[in-house]
Amino acid sequence: MPTAVSLFTGCGGSDAGLLDAGFDIVMANDILPYARDTYLRNLPNTDYVLSSIADIKSFPKVDLLAGCYPCQGFSQGGLRDPVKKINYLYREFDRALRLIKPKAFIVENVSGMIRNDFRHLLNNQLIRFRTAGYRVKWDVLDARHYGVPQERSRLFFVGIRSDLDVCFDFPTPCYETEGATQGLPRCPTIRDAIGDLPLWPDEEEYDRQEFHWYYLSRNRYRGWEDQSRTIVATGRHAPLHPISPKLIRLGTDEWKFENDGPARRLSYREAARLQGFQRDMVFPDTYGTQMRYRVVGNAVPPPVFAAVAKAIPNIW
Ligand SMILES: C[S@@+](CC[C@H](N)C(=O)[O-])C[C@H]1O[C@@H](n2cnc3c(N)ncnc32)[C@H](O)[C@@H]1O
């Protein structure tokens, strides 16, 4: 069984994908206690180190290094500040890469990094990973193409150690979306993912703040037969549940409900399903609703990470 170290592990979206792809995760790390708690309730067999990555001085030797460093600085919903310190945690990943020297690595991040104002950071990562001795490819993947019922585009880097003389190709789409990939199975819908859950869950399971002007500055609605809008890390910005009335566009950045019927945001449990987590994912009682939204929204959809890991040729 090939072995892996996971960094910026969160509650384990990337790692659920690695386990599905047949990896033994020897070590995981994150700084957020609730992410660790959730991970270990669902994936109890990993040595999960709770600390800042900067405090870890040595790592086990493994075949694969996986890491999804934070993205607040680049993300559409974030500050988009190219000088933010959190944008530079890729240097810690690079440090681990040079210490471990795995056969391959996988990095996931937000697609905002390919924007012009962040391009220098993307290029710097490529230069670092290449000078560390890896052939690196990157691409932006649409989660719907791998069976995740959600509009979610994310940037992936995959590197294979140059001495192995092996090429990597990103996985081709496995599911059809909007007719672009005809002949493939239909991507699952919101109904497929959450149709069996109560229409009105316990009130602690979803964010009940008012629908403020910023919330209504874009269309947060998708119907039962659609894929969800992007699941984000804040409950306040969670997409609407399909039992809510549709939103009608009034003008630039201005939407309103088409009627006064009851409306609500997706719950954190529904959000987890729409991210492709196991259907019976357990959320420990420590911390409240917002923290649950946070770890779920930060995660990589497991089916996407699994598809990327499985696409690496058998170099193990
Ligand atoms: C994009 S999320 C990772 C998601 C995770 N891979 C998953 O699939 O669930 C980035 C993670 O980096 C963690 N993080 C931020 N700063 C950190 C640091 N200095 N050391 C370790 N982890 C850190 C955050 O707590 C967050 O869980």
Side-chain angles (χ1 to χ4, degrees):
M1 206 181 202
T3 52
V5 161
S6 158
L7 301 179
F8 309 99
T9 304
C11 71
S14 44
D15 291 28
L18 284 179
L19 290 171
D20 179 30
F23 284 84
D24 175 20
I25 302 167
V26 177
M27 177 193 154
N29 164 249
D30 202 283
I31 200 171
L32 190 67
Y34 190 69
R36 188 265 322 256
D37 296 350
T38 309
Y39 184 108
L40 289 177
R41 283 296 295 279
N42 294 282
L43 308 172
N45 298 322
T46 300
D47 176 17
Y48 195 118
V49 180
L50 183 69
S51 74
S52 170
I53 177 73
D55 295 333
I56 300 184
K57 302 300 173 207
S58 66
F59 301 87
K61 288 281 181 199
V62 286
D63 299 309
L64 179 87
L65 177 62
C68 318
Y69 18 92
C71 51
Q72 284 93 329
F74 317 105
S75 72
Q76 291 292 328
L79 296 168
R80 296 201 217 165
D81 176 356
V83 295
K84 224 171 174 273
K85 200 173 161 196
I86 201 159
N87 292 346
Y88 293 92
L89 278 170
Y90 68 81
R91 293 173 183 165
E92 291 293 338
F93 182 88
D94 181 43
R95 179 175 66 85
L97 185 67
R98 287 164 193 261
L99 284 171
I100 302 172
K101 295 205 178 307
K103 290 178 177 164
F105 72 82
I106 307 174
V107 164
E108 182 260 13
N109 213 292
V110 290
S111 51
M113 209 192 289
I114 66 174
R115 287 162 49 102
N116 275 349
D117 35 354
F118 295 120
R119 203 57 189 241
H120 63 290
L121 293 175
L122 184 143
N123 289 338
N124 189 238
Q125 287 166 76
L126 284 172
I127 291 166
R128 278 175 176 261
F129 299 154
R130 285 174 177 153
T131 57
Y134 290 83
R135 287 185 183 166
V136 188
K137 284 197 176 168
W138 65 269
D139 203 353
V140 174
L141 303 185
D142 177 342
R144 295 173 297 178
H145 287 157
Y146 306 96
V148 178
Q150 183 195 156
E151 298 163 7
R152 190 180 188 93
S153 290
R154 289 292 183 267
L155 174 69
F156 282 80
F157 294 100
V158 173
I160 308 230
R161 222 172 53 212
S162 308
D163 61 288
L164 297 171
D165 202 19
V166 161
C167 286
F168 172 81
D169 290 313
F170 277 96
T172 53
C174 308
Y175 289 85
E176 180 177 1
T177 55
E178 292 155 12
T181 42
Q182 286 165 8
L184 293 172
R186 167 187 76 94
C187 181
T189 62
I190 296 179
R191 189 187 300 284
D192 294 328
I194 66 169
D196 61 318
L197 294 175
L199 292 181
W200 291 96
D202 287 348
E203 292 192 338
E204 307 77 57
E205 293 206 359
Y206 60 96
D207 187 302
R208 288 177 295 119
Q209 296 181 63
E210 68 171 285
F211 298 110
H212 43 80
W213 70 266
Y214 181 74
Y215 191 82
L216 295 172
S217 68
R218 53 185 86 159
N219 186 5
R220 313 274 182 172
Y221 181 86
R222 288 288 184 270
W224 283 110
E225 309 312 327
D226 299 327
Q227 284 80 41
S228 170
R229 292 186 61 91
T230 304
I231 301 298
V232 292
T234 48
R236 215 157 58 105
H237 296 145
L240 287 168
H241 187 280
I243 55 159
S244 312
K246 289 182 180 164
L247 290 174
I248 304 169
R249 186 170 181 273
L250 294 178
T252 307
D253 299 337
E254 213 184 337
W255 296 72
K256 72 163 193 170
F257 287 105
E258 71 176 4
N259 62 50
D260 293 336
R264 72 165 175 92
R265 296 171 175 85
L266 291 167
S267 70
Y268 63 80
R269 206 176 290 285
E270 291 158 344
R273 291 264 192 104
L274 292 162
Q275 280 273 59
F277 277 102
Q278 62 190 61
R279 293 175 85 81
D280 57 352
M281 183 173 183
V282 178
F283 291 92
D285 289 338
T286 48
Y287 301 88
T289 307
Q290 295 304 330
M291 190 57 94
R292 296 172 196 193
Y293 275 115
R294 178 168 164 189
V295 296
V296 166
N298 271 339
V300 187
V304 184
F305 216 81
V308 174
K310 287 176 187 173
I312 298 177
N314 190 1
I315 49 176
W316 320 116

